Amino acid sequence: QWGEEQLSELPMRSLHVIGSKDIRVPPPLGQRLAERFKNAVILEHDKGHVVPQQTESCMAIVSFIQKGNDPRI
């Protein structure tokens, strides 16, 4: 089981989608969580607690998935 102090040791990339208008998970909390991961990728958008639908955001998510779990990328 992984605790907070061990998140930075996870050998995998993580994608953190942070909405500037998110009231469920406020942006500072999302940023703080992302900072705990060694290979975090942050995708920020101007909506709330949703998966962004803009082409650029969707392409970033697809790119993250296509790269797989290679921590060097």
Side-chain angles (χ1 to χ4, degrees):
Q1 185 167 346
W2 293 91
E4 223 176 272
E5 65 281 351
Q6 296 159 319
L7 289 176
S8 63
E9 298 173 14
L10 289 174
M12 63 183 70
R13 297 163 58 242
S14 60
L15 176 63
H16 303 264
V17 180
I18 299 174
S20 64
K21 298 176 184 166
D22 192 339
I23 58 174
R24 291 190 182 158
V25 180
L29 187 58
Q31 290 282 353
R32 201 166 82 209
L33 176 63
E35 290 170 1
R36 297 188 178 278
F37 285 82
K38 183 176 184 179
N39 295 305
V41 174
I42 298 173
L43 172 61
E44 297 177 305
H45 62 89
D46 63 354
K47 305 290 183 201
H49 194 79
V50 298
V51 176
Q53 301 297 307
Q54 298 86 356
T55 301
E56 184 178 321
S57 295
C58 291
M59 294 303 291
I61 293 169
V62 168
S63 175
F64 177 86
I65 293 168
Q66 287 177 333
K67 288 178 182 173
N69 209 16
D70 187 342
R72 298 169 295 159
I73 299 174

